[in-house]
Amino acid sequence: MFRKVAIKTNPLLLSKRFLHTSPKTYNAVNHTAISPSEMEHFNKLAATWWDPHGPQRILHKMNLIRMDFINDTIKSQLKLNEGIKNDEEKVFIPGWNYKNLLPSEIAGQIEKEQKAAIAAKYDALELKCLDVGCGGGLLSESLARLPVVSSVKGIDLSAEVLRVADEHKTLDPMVEAKLNYELKALEEVPKDDLYDIVTMMEMLEHVDYPAEVLKEGLAHVKPGGHLFLSTINRDFISWFTTIFMGEYVLKIVPIGTHTYSKYINDSEILEFVEDFKKEYEVVSSKGCIYLPACGWKFTSSSNVGNYFSAIRRKEKLSN
Amino acid sequence: MLFRRFMATAATTAKTHTSDIVIIGGGPAGLTLASAIKNSPILKNLKIKLVEGGNLIEPLEKFNESPPANFMNRVVSLTPATISYLKEIKAWDHFKEERTETYDNIYAYDGITNARIQFDCPEIATMCENFNIQSGLFQRIKELNKDNVENPLEILDKTKVIEIKSDEKNKWPVLQLSTGDSIKTRLLVGCDGYNSPARKFAGIESRGWAYNRWGIVATLKYKDDAFRFPTGWQRFLTSGPLAQLPLPDNWCSLVWSTTPELADILMKLPEEKFVAMVNAGAKLAPSEMEYLYKLAAKNDETLMEEISWRLNLFNSKLKEEEYENYPLEIESIVPNSRGRFPLKLSHADTYVEERVALVGDAAHTTHPLAGQGLNMGQGDVKSLVKVLETSTERGLDIGSKFALEGYFSERYPANHVLLGIVDKIHKIYSTDSSLLVMARSLGLDAINNTPFLKDFMVSQISNK
Ligand SMILES: Cc1cc2nc3c(=O)[nH]c(=O)nc-3n(C[C@H](O)[C@H](O)[C@H](O)COP(=O)(O)OP(=O)(O)OC[C@H]3O[C@@H](n4cnc5c(N)ncnc54)[C@H](O)[C@@H]3O)c2cc1C
C-alpha cells in the first residue's frame, strides 16, 4: 500500500547520494531494493570518497556546514545557569535587550562572561554519537575529532563504503580509538543504546518510510540529546512540515500532493506525531544552498533546497 | 659487540614523537604563530613543537632580563595592523616598549631631483628590533605555558631539521632532527624563512628573482644639534633606497639597499667613513656620489674631507625652511652593527599542500623598501590561526589540504598585490633614465598635492 516517495534527480546532488539505508531498515519490506546499477554507481564513489578534490567535493563541503549546524545547535541549547543554586556563581543574563541599553563596555563584559560560561559548559560535554548512514565516514570522523565527543558509532548497509571508512580511520590516531563502524540497519541497533547525538544526514529522502526511520532514530536519542537530520529535497520538507509538525497546510503542498496523503492518512504516523509533541521538539531548522564560488551557505528559508533540522528529546515528557 | 652497543644506545636515545603541529623556525613568524595558537581557546590543547636550528632561548632570556645598551641592527617597521594583532594575542605587553619608536611621518624623496612626498598619519608605523619582537613573544609563550601545563608549547632550539620524509602509511611528515630524535606530525608549518625546508618537502615551487641588491643595515646616532619629529626618511638613489628609520633618543636604523659592488665598498669602509657616506647619500647628487664611491673604493684618505666640503656647500644653499626636508646628520655608529642581506622577491605557488602550510618568508620575500616583509607574515599568521580554529570546530583533519585551503585563498591575493606594488616602486626608482626621473618626480609632487591619493597610499602601507 505504501508508495515510494519520488526523488527528484538533481545532477548536482546525485554524486553525493547514496542509499545509506535500504528498505531493509524498515521491517524488511524489500520491494525497493537498491538496483544493481545504483549500487555500482556508489561502489565507484567509494574509491574517491575521501578525495576532497574528486567527485565528492561537494559532499566534503557540505560536511562543513553540517558541523556548523550541529555545533551551533548544541551551544545554543546549553542552559547557562542550570544546576547552579548560588546566585553569586550565576552568569548574569539580563532579561532585556541589554546590548542596546547598556554602555558598550558593560554590554561587552556581559557578553564575554556569557561566552566564557558557554565555552566552559561546552568543553565539559562528553557526547556519544550514532551516525546513521555514515557512508565513507566524513561526518563520523569529523564528530570523532571534536574533543567533546567521546565515541562515535557509524552504521551503514554497504560493506563497500564501510571498508573505505574503516580503512580511512586508521590513518588518523585521533579518531581511530573513538570511532567504530558497523554493517547494520538502524533497527538492529540494540533498543537500549542511547546517544546524545543521532545523525541522519542526506538519508531520509532515500527511504520509503521516513517517518518510521525517523521514529527509530529518535528512540535512540537520550533525554536532552539531539537528532540531526539533513535532507535534500523539497518533497520531504513538505512532508515533514505537514505531517511531522502537525501542520496541515495542504494549500502550499506542491505537485504530487496525493503521494503524501497516504502518509497523512496513516493512523500509525498520526499517533506518532502526537507522541512526538510530548517528547520531542524541533529546536532549529535551517535551509542551505550550494554556491559554487563560496561553498554551502545557510539560507533564511528552510523551505527551499537543502534543509537541516535538529530535534531535541525533552528531559521530561510534557503535555 | 660494538654493533649491539650501538643498537642499544640508538634504542634508548633516539625517540619518535608525535605531534599535532610542528613549526619549523623560531623567527618572528614562527613565534607569533606559536603564541597565537596557544592563545586560542579552541586550539590551545593541540600538541605543538617548535624547532629552531639556532640558539634561541638563552639569548632571548638574556635580552629580556638585561637588554643590551645599544639598539640591535635588525629592526623592522611594524604596521598598526601587526601591533593590534600582537595586542590581541597579549604578546605586546611583554615587549620592551621603551625600545620602540612610533612615528607618523614618512618623508620619501627622489635621489636625483629631490622631489618629495610626505605622509602624515597618526601612528603610521612603529620601529621595533626583531629581537624585541621575538623576546616579547617568547615571554608570552612562557606565560601561556604556565596556564597550560598539560599541553605546553615545546621549543626545541639548537635543533636542526635535517630531513623530512613521509610516513609510509598515513603520509604524515616525519622530521629527522639533528639531536637524533624524530617527530611525526599531522601538520607541518614552515616558518623557516626563504630557504624553507618545509616548502621543499612539499614540492612547492617558489618563483621570483634576486634584486641583485644588498640591504645594508646598521644602528646609527644623529647629531643632537636640532629637533626633528620622529620621521622615516627614504631617499631613492638609483642604486636603491637609502632609509633612515627612527629609534628612541635620536638613534636610527639604517636600511641601505644598494648594488653588490657598492655594498662591498660600503661594508669594507672604516666605520667613521661609512657614517660620512650615509650622510652624503642623504643629500648629494648622483654625480657626486659616483665620485665619492670611487674614493671609498680606494679607502682614500681625502674621502672625509670631500664629503664634509660637499655637504657644507649643499647646506649653505638650503633656505631656512628647507632644512627640515632632510634628516639630521649622523654622528656615530654602534660598533660592529653593520650587516648586509641579499634582497629578493619570491612568492611560493601555493602556501598549502597536504600536511604542510607555509608562513612568512617561507612563502614570500620582498624588497624592504616598504617595510612589509615581516608584517605580511603577521597577516599570514592571523589568517592561518582563524582557519585552524574553524577547521577544528568542524572536526576536520587540520593537516589536510582541504582544511587549510581557506588560508591560501585569503592570503595569496593580498600578498601578491603587495609584492607587485613594492616591485614596481623598486623598478621605477632604480633608473636614471631622465624621462622616468621626470615622471616619477612629477609623480611624487603630484601625489603630495593630492590628499586623497596620499591617503590611499598611506592606508596601503599601514594596512589600515
Ligand atoms: C635588510 C632587511 C630589512 C627589513 N626590514 C623590514 C621592515 O622594515 N619591516 C618588515 O616588515 N620586514 C622587514 N624585513 C623582512 C623581515 O625581516 C622578514 O620578513 C622576517 O624576519 C621574516 O621572518 P620569518 O619568521 O618568516 O623568517 P626568518 O626570520 O628567516 O626565520 C626563519 C627561522 O627558521 C629557522 N630554520 C630554517 N631552516 C631550519 C631548519 N632546517 N631547522 C631548524 N630551523 C630552521 C632559521 O634558523 C630561522 O630562525 C627586512 C628584511 C631585510 C633583509
Side-chain angles (χ1 to χ4, degrees), chain A residues 53 57 67-68 71 75 142 145-146 170-172 174, chain B residues 169-170 172 186 392-397 401-402 405:
Chain A
H53 304 282
R57 183 169 176 82
M67 291 300 292
D68 289 350
N71 270 320
K75 282 186 188 155
S142 286
R145 270 193 207 93
L146 297 184
T170 65
L171 299 180
D172 188 347
M174 191 172 178
Chain B
K169 184 167 157 59
N170 63 10
W172 287 16
R186 176 185 299 277
T392 300
E393 289 196 300
R394 287 170 164 173
L396 298 184
D397 174 352
K401 189 177 174 186
F402 181 69
E405 276 169 356

Side-chain angles (χ1 to χ4, degrees), chain A residues 289-308:
Chain A
I289 183 170
Y290 186 75
L291 305 170
C294 41
W296 288 94
K297 297 281 168 210
F298 287 121
T299 62
S300 55
S301 162
S302 51
N303 295 325
V304 195
N306 294 66
Y307 178 84
F308 284 101

Side-chain angles (χ1 to χ4, degrees), chain B residues 326-392:
Chain B
Y326 297 89
L328 295 174
E329 275 175 21
I330 306 289
E331 180 182 72
S332 61
I333 178 170
V334 171
N336 302 318
S337 68
R338 244 181 316 178
R340 68 169 161 183
F341 301 87
L343 305 183
K344 43 197 168 277
L345 176 142
S346 65
H347 205 184
D349 284 356
T350 176
Y351 304 168
V352 298
E353 253 316 327
E354 223 29 74
R355 309 278 150 213
V356 178
L358 304 177
V359 171
D361 277 23
H364 42 70
T365 56
T366 174
H367 195 294
L369 70 87
Q372 291 300 316
L374 184 139
N375 292 296
M376 288 163 83
Q378 299 288 304
D380 295 349
V381 169
K382 184 174 179 176
S383 165
L384 178 59
V385 170
K386 225 170 47 203
V387 165
L388 290 175
E389 285 180 339
T390 313
S391 293
T392 300

Side-chain angles (χ1 to χ4, degrees), chain A residues 241-243 246-251 264 270 273:
Chain A
T241 47
T242 51
I243 305 174
E247 288 171 18
Y248 300 92
V249 272
L250 291 171
K251 282 167 283 174
I264 296 170
L270 281 181
V273 172

Side-chain angles (χ1 to χ4, degrees), chain B residues 231-343:
Chain B
T231 300
W233 302 93
Q234 179 138 281
R235 188 174 195 226
F236 287 94
L237 304 171
T238 49
S239 47
L242 186 163
Q244 299 177 20
L245 300 155
L247 291 170
D249 301 328
N250 261 342
W251 289 97
C252 83
S253 164
L254 175 81
V255 182
W256 189 347
S257 314
T258 191
T259 61
E261 298 76 31
L262 295 181
D264 257 353
I265 296 172
L266 292 168
M267 287 300 288
K268 281 187 194 136
L269 276 180
E271 289 185 327
E272 189 193 14
K273 288 182 179 157
F274 175 75
V275 167
M277 283 303 281
V278 174
N279 285 328
K283 286 176 174 166
L284 300 183
S287 56
E288 293 180 285
M289 289 306 289
E290 286 303 318
Y291 177 65
L292 295 174
Y293 288 133
K294 284 198 185 106
L295 292 182
K298 294 182 288 181
N299 191 14
D300 200 289
E301 51 209 44
T302 63
L303 180 65
M304 298 293 285
E305 233 169 275
E306 279 290 336
I307 293 175
S308 72
W309 176 78
R310 281 162 202 276
L311 282 176
N312 283 339
L313 185 67
F314 181 91
N315 291 339
S316 70
K317 286 188 198 151
L318 287 179
K319 297 197 196 81
E320 186 67 30
E321 70 274 12
E322 282 173 341
Y323 269 107
E324 287 183 12
N325 293 345
Y326 297 89
L328 295 174
E329 275 175 21
I330 306 289
E331 180 182 72
S332 61
I333 178 170
V334 171
N336 302 318
S337 68
R338 244 181 316 178
R340 68 169 161 183
F341 301 87
L343 305 183

